[in-house]
Amino acid sequence: MGELATDKHVRYILSVEKKKDSFESVVMEHLRMNGAYWGLTALDIMGKLDTVDVNEVVSWIMSWGFGGNVGHDPHILYTLSAVQVLALFNKLDVVDVDKVTTYIVSLQNEDGSFSGDIWGEVDTRFSYIAICCVSILHRLDRINVEKAVKYIISCKNMDGGFGCTPGGESHAGQIFCCVGALAITGSLDLVDKDLLGWWLCERQVKSGGLNGRPEKLPDVCYSWWVLSSLIMIDRVHWISKEKLIKFILDCQDTEKGGISDRPDDAVDVFHTYFGVAGLSLLEYPGLKPIDPAYALPVDVVDRIFFSK
Ligand code: 3PZ
Ligand code: ZN
């Protein structure tokens, strides 16, 4: 079995990160804040965050006004990525915590759900983002946690999984969001762990990779959505870690760096991050451990919650 080509992946991410415009070609322009989070978190897990100019990144983030400035409408999707990147660099002190919290609080609806922006689309992804974000900012008490949890539980299905809204089909990405939000709010006792664990471990296919729904192809990004959920509900021993490690390593471009969704496809920053993050969850040697609920390195999470 091959090894993780860490140096190549670092160089690949830096080459994409250097020309800020190139997040545009890889990811769409409005996803650049998310792209920065994927690239920089992957670098940190590989122990190479110090290759990036902190001040440059921080002033770039602040120039966005968290989605307000430079022609971007505010959306909760950018807010979390911006907060996570600032957390990586230990720069949360530049955040106007009241402003960001007030924005997130304004997106909670009467039934406890969250909208992504003022236009109102509702999705359990936004519940996760809101809860994760205010938790990092030590402001969980400003949202209605009880109602938020009740809404998430109303999206639970008979198969043990979760959908985007009540009655929505179970999907691994959505399950991560719901289980992550429940983990952060200390509500995991509301999950049927055996039933959900069964659905999740069924996602492992012959090649060792994981898919997001029955009958779908395996994809490296599901190494994150499925694996982090299995870890949070204590059922990770229900899949073969060795086979999954091999699948992720098989998705590397060992010449130019980067990781793709499945072997021999084109690499991108998204799958490079989720591949490295998945290997970190699998305790692959030489990588920093990552927290399955906050999707940030464990040392960063510890600094946020235990250094005050
Ligand atoms: C990818 N987005 O809608 S996207 C994303 N997907 O912006 C970023 N696995 O065409 C990159 N598929 C690559 N760099 C793919 C982010 C998607 C997820 C698509 C994908 C991933 C299989 C088909 C949605 C968090 C944030 C956003 C998403 C999921 C989780 C695309 C297609 C869609 C998108 C971007 C590029 C390559 C990178
Ligand atoms: Zn994918």
Side-chain angles (χ1 to χ4, degrees), residues 24 27-35 64 72 77-78:
E24 250 167 325
V27 191
M28 287 170 294
E29 133 78 17
H30 68 274
L31 270 159
R32 271 165 61 192
M33 189 61 77
N34 302 310
W64 272 55
H72 304 277
L77 284 170
Y78 322 129

Side-chain angles (χ1 to χ4, degrees), residues 100-119:
V100 175
T101 306
T102 302
Y103 173 65
I104 293 173
V105 167
S106 78
L107 296 173
Q108 189 169 27
N109 304 305
E110 197 38 51
D111 63 359
S113 67
F114 282 86
S115 301
D117 59 16
I118 54 163
W119 305 108

Side-chain angles (χ1 to χ4, degrees), residues 12 23 26-28 30-31 34-35 38 77 125 219 221-222 225 261-262 267-271 274:
Y12 167 74
F23 273 128
V26 188
V27 191
M28 287 170 294
H30 68 274
L31 270 159
N34 302 310
W38 299 325
L77 284 170
R125 283 182 302 156
D219 180 329
C221 63
Y222 290 101
W225 312 119
D261 56 356
R262 59 189 75 92
V267 304
D268 61 51
V269 182
F270 182 86
H271 291 97
F274 284 109

Side-chain angles (χ1 to χ4, degrees), residues 149-221:
V149 167
K150 217 172 144 197
Y151 180 77
I152 292 168
I153 294 303
S154 78
C155 298
K156 187 160 75 173
N157 293 318
M158 299 279 284
D159 58 16
F162 294 83
C164 3
T165 47
E169 189 192 357
S170 295
H171 175 100
Q174 227 71 44
I175 291 172
F176 161 76
C177 290
C178 294
V179 173
L182 294 173
I184 292 170
T185 55
S187 321
L188 281 175
D189 53 305
L190 300 171
V191 177
D192 185 338
K193 293 180 182 145
D194 285 336
L195 188 63
L196 176 58
W198 177 248
W199 190 93
L200 289 167
C201 75
E202 289 256 285
R203 307 278 59 77
Q204 190 161 40
V205 301
K206 247 205 198 122
S207 61
L210 302 168
N211 64 18
R213 273 183 293 167
E215 315 299 331
K216 298 281 180 184
L217 289 172
D219 180 329
V220 158
C221 63

